[in-house]
PDB file of all heavy atoms in Angstrom:
ATOM      1  N   ARG A 151     134.526 136.759  44.719  1.00 97.00           N
ATOM      2  CA  ARG A 151     133.527 136.030  45.513  1.00 97.00           C
ATOM      3  C   ARG A 151     133.662 134.540  45.258  1.00 97.00           C
ATOM      4  O   ARG A 151     133.596 134.066  44.108  1.00 97.00           O
ATOM      5  CB  ARG A 151     132.192 136.538  45.165  1.00 97.00           C
ATOM      6  CG  ARG A 151     130.894 135.958  45.760  1.00 97.00           C
ATOM      7  CD  ARG A 151     130.957 135.509  47.215  1.00 97.00           C
ATOM      8  NE  ARG A 151     129.605 135.480  47.802  1.00 97.00           N
ATOM      9  CZ  ARG A 151     128.910 134.327  48.008  1.00 97.00           C
ATOM     10  NH1 ARG A 151     129.393 133.181  47.684  1.00 97.00           N
ATOM     11  NH2 ARG A 151     127.731 134.412  48.593  1.00 97.00           N
ATOM     12  N   ILE A 152     133.851 133.757  46.312  1.00 97.00           N
ATOM     13  CA  ILE A 152     133.959 132.300  46.192  1.00 97.00           C
ATOM     14  C   ILE A 152     132.548 131.708  46.026  1.00 97.00           C
ATOM     15  O   ILE A 152     131.666 132.064  46.838  1.00 97.00           O
ATOM     16  CB  ILE A 152     134.709 131.647  47.315  1.00 97.00           C
ATOM     17  CG1 ILE A 152     136.201 132.037  47.227  1.00 97.00           C
ATOM     18  CG2 ILE A 152     134.594 130.137  47.281  1.00 97.00           C
ATOM     19  CD1 ILE A 152     137.049 131.463  48.383  1.00 97.00           C
ATOM     20  N   LEU A 153     132.321 130.907  45.009  1.00 96.00           N
ATOM     21  CA  LEU A 153     131.107 130.142  44.886  1.00 96.00           C
ATOM     22  C   LEU A 153     131.437 128.657  45.073  1.00 96.00           C
ATOM     23  O   LEU A 153     132.476 128.178  44.705  1.00 96.00           O
ATOM     24  CB  LEU A 153     130.558 130.299  43.446  1.00 96.00           C
ATOM     25  CG  LEU A 153     129.988 131.670  42.982  1.00 96.00           C
ATOM     26  CD1 LEU A 153     129.057 132.288  43.961  1.00 96.00           C
ATOM     27  CD2 LEU A 153     131.068 132.622  42.576  1.00 96.00           C
ATOM     28  N   PHE A 154     130.508 128.005  45.743  1.00 95.00           N
ATOM     29  CA  PHE A 154     130.797 126.599  46.027  1.00 95.00           C
ATOM     30  C   PHE A 154     129.536 125.786  46.190  1.00 95.00           C
ATOM     31  O   PHE A 154     128.400 126.346  46.397  1.00 95.00           O
ATOM     32  CB  PHE A 154     131.658 126.469  47.336  1.00 95.00           C
ATOM     33  CG  PHE A 154     130.871 126.891  48.582  1.00 95.00           C
ATOM     34  CD1 PHE A 154     130.268 125.937  49.379  1.00 95.00           C
ATOM     35  CD2 PHE A 154     130.741 128.225  48.941  1.00 95.00           C
ATOM     36  CE1 PHE A 154     129.551 126.327  50.542  1.00 95.00           C
ATOM     37  CE2 PHE A 154     130.055 128.628  50.046  1.00 95.00           C
ATOM     38  CZ  PHE A 154     129.440 127.653  50.822  1.00 95.00           C
ATOM     39  N   SER A 155     129.675 124.496  46.156  1.00 93.00           N
ATOM     40  CA  SER A 155     128.565 123.588  46.403  1.00 93.00           C
ATOM     41  C   SER A 155     129.068 122.463  47.301  1.00 93.00           C
ATOM     42  O   SER A 155     129.926 121.687  46.933  1.00 93.00           O
ATOM     43  CB  SER A 155     128.031 122.998  45.091  1.00 93.00           C
ATOM     44  OG  SER A 155     127.179 121.918  45.355  1.00 93.00           O
ATOM     45  N   GLU A 156     128.493 122.420  48.509  1.00 92.00           N
ATOM     46  CA  GLU A 156     128.865 121.316  49.430  1.00 92.00           C
ATOM     47  C   GLU A 156     128.414 119.958  48.859  1.00 92.00           C
ATOM     48  O   GLU A 156     129.120 118.957  48.995  1.00 92.00           O
ATOM     49  CB  GLU A 156     128.237 121.549  50.797  1.00 92.00           C
ATOM     50  CG  GLU A 156     128.887 122.756  51.567  1.00 92.00           C
ATOM     51  CD  GLU A 156     128.413 122.781  53.018  1.00 92.00           C
ATOM     52  OE1 GLU A 156     128.366 121.689  53.636  1.00 92.00           O
ATOM     53  OE2 GLU A 156     128.080 123.890  53.495  1.00 92.00           O
ATOM     54  N   GLU A 157     127.243 119.981  48.226  1.00 91.00           N
ATOM     55  CA  GLU A 157     126.701 118.748  47.683  1.00 91.00           C
ATOM     56  C   GLU A 157     127.573 118.129  46.603  1.00 91.00           C
ATOM     57  O   GLU A 157     127.828 116.931  46.610  1.00 91.00           O
ATOM     58  CB  GLU A 157     125.299 118.956  47.124  1.00 91.00           C
ATOM     59  CG  GLU A 157     124.670 117.738  46.495  1.00 91.00           C
ATOM     60  CD  GLU A 157     123.336 118.065  45.834  1.00 91.00           C
ATOM     61  OE1 GLU A 157     122.872 119.246  45.916  1.00 91.00           O
ATOM     62  OE2 GLU A 157     122.755 117.088  45.253  1.00 91.00           O
ATOM     63  N   TYR A 158     128.117 118.987  45.741  1.00 93.00           N
ATOM     64  CA  TYR A 158     128.886 118.521  44.590  1.00 93.00           C
ATOM     65  C   TYR A 158     130.411 118.625  44.869  1.00 93.00           C
ATOM     66  O   TYR A 158     131.221 118.252  44.002  1.00 93.00           O
ATOM     67  CB  TYR A 158     128.509 119.266  43.355  1.00 93.00           C
ATOM     68  CG  TYR A 158     127.086 119.054  42.919  1.00 93.00           C
ATOM     69  CD1 TYR A 158     126.051 119.964  43.103  1.00 93.00           C
ATOM     70  CD2 TYR A 158     126.744 117.828  42.308  1.00 93.00           C
ATOM     71  CE1 TYR A 158     124.781 119.720  42.681  1.00 93.00           C
ATOM     72  CE2 TYR A 158     125.455 117.560  41.892  1.00 93.00           C
ATOM     73  CZ  TYR A 158     124.493 118.491  42.069  1.00 93.00           C
ATOM     74  OH  TYR A 158     123.208 118.245  41.724  1.00 93.00           O
TER      75      TYR A 158
END
Side-chain angles (χ1 to χ4, degrees):
R151 178 37 158 102
I152 290 178
L153 292 312
F154 68 97
S155 168
E156 289 191 46
E157 178 184 357
Y158 294 105

